[in-house]
Amino acid sequence: MAVGRIYLVGAGPGDPDLLTVKAVRLIERADVVVYDRLVSPGILALVPATAERVFVGKAPKQHTLPQDEINALLVRLGRTGRTIVRLKGGDPYVFGRGSEEALVLAEAGIPFDIVPGVTAATGCGAAAGIPMTHRGLATSVRFVTGHGREDRDLEVDWASLADLNTTLVFYMGLMNVAEIRRQLIAAGLPAATPAAVVCAGTTAEQVVCLGTLDDLPERTARTDLPSPCLIIIGRVVSLARQLAPNLREPAPLGRETVDA
């Protein structure tokens, strides 16, 4: 039985220019590419015409394949003797389930490598003019899941997050933005804390909804935001208009989007 090699590759937040050199090299010589919903069309354009493409994307409550079936698929592909690229949005080890897949491959004896990518927090933050840390505004940053496992309630230590010196980044949390607001304010984070939703970050479709922790749910509800979205909460968000003066904000539903 031939055994190939699987590369768990971070595709970054969307802009193909943010791919690592190693990621590009592997994509261009892949025999099979297994990719997620968050991998942008510009990155998929790098896949050779000769390569087999397998879509295994997930959206809230809409999974093309359950995770256990994706794991089994990777094991099967790994035993074909081909070069397999498993493309994941952002970084495989930051809310990408890359470690779950790596464990399955390790147990099956399938050789694999991890290729880190620019994670959504740093990539989208930079594109939106929002640093993760800044002297006098934030001395730490927390990456937090914005949705519960199997769509259950969020299991988060809210009290530990209610810190004005910490930048909070919620991944895939737009559906729970009202709950995030409620819990953080109840835990003691001021309602006036600057907050933003960055949508389609680093791509030509990027829009940034700026507001406060208190009004962010209402602001996002009045707009048609493109997916995927990232929520950033903290005093560093106050720098966005200075560091990205040309950022585009979403227009209210029924109106054209205009530049800020």
Side-chain angles (χ1 to χ4, degrees):
M1 179 182 62
V3 177
R5 194 168 196 90
I6 293 187
Y7 297 90
L8 301 173
V9 177
D15 182 354
D17 288 342
L18 294 179
L19 285 168
T20 64
V21 173
K22 186 172 185 178
V24 173
R25 185 170 67 246
L26 290 170
I27 292 169
E28 290 178 340
R29 65 181 180 87
D31 297 315
V32 182
V33 175
V34 181
Y35 64 100
D36 283 347
R37 179 178 66 94
L38 300 182
V39 177
S40 70
I43 291 172
L44 289 175
L46 300 174
V47 177
T50 55
E52 178 185 351
R53 297 188 184 195
V54 182
F55 176 65
V56 293
K58 299 185 183 73
K61 300 181 181 179
Q62 297 178 9
H63 294 182
T64 302
L65 284 180
Q67 187 62 48
D68 59 348
E69 292 187 27
I70 295 174
N71 297 343
L73 170 68
L74 293 176
V75 171
R76 290 197 303 273
L77 289 172
R79 288 174 174 160
T80 64
R82 295 180 291 176
T83 298
I84 315 298
V85 168
R86 170 68 168 111
L87 266 183
K88 291 177 168 290
D91 182 283
Y93 278 3
V94 180
F95 297 123
R97 297 189 178 180
S99 54
E100 296 178 35
E101 294 173 6
L103 283 170
V104 170
L105 295 173
E107 292 167 359
I110 306 295
F112 67 91
D113 286 320
I114 304 297
V115 181
V118 175
T119 189
T122 55
C124 296
I130 304 172
M132 295 294 99
T133 61
H134 186 89
R135 282 194 300 173
L137 296 179
T139 56
S140 63
V141 58
R142 295 275 297 273
F143 298 166
V144 188
T145 180
H147 64 94
R149 186 173 182 177
E150 298 176 351
D151 300 315
R152 298 173 186 167
D153 292 340
L154 293 175
E155 297 178 359
V156 177
D157 182 356
W158 297 103
S160 72
L161 298 180
D163 177 8
L164 267 179
N165 293 312
T166 297
T167 302
L168 304 177
V169 183
F170 286 87
Y171 280 66
M172 307 301 290
L174 189 60
M175 293 180 63
N176 289 317
V177 64
E179 177 68 4
I180 291 169
R181 171 186 63 183
R182 186 182 72 82
Q183 294 281 10
L184 287 175
I185 291 176
L189 197 63
T193 303
V197 174
V198 183
C199 302
T202 77
T203 73
E205 290 73 39
Q206 174 180 295
V207 293
V208 182
C209 184
L210 295 171
T212 65
L213 175 60
D214 189 42
D215 67 16
L216 199 61
E218 285 71 31
R219 286 178 178 271
T220 58
R222 294 196 300 265
T223 60
D224 185 15
L225 299 175
S227 180
C229 296
L230 192 78
I231 301 170
I232 306 176
I233 300 169
R235 293 184 293 188
V236 291
V237 176
S238 64
L239 300 176
R241 295 191 191 281
Q242 293 173 266
L243 298 181
N246 296 319
L247 67 81
R248 187 172 57 163
E249 297 187 65
L253 287 170
R255 294 179 55 191
E256 293 293 326
T257 301
V258 295
D259 289 339

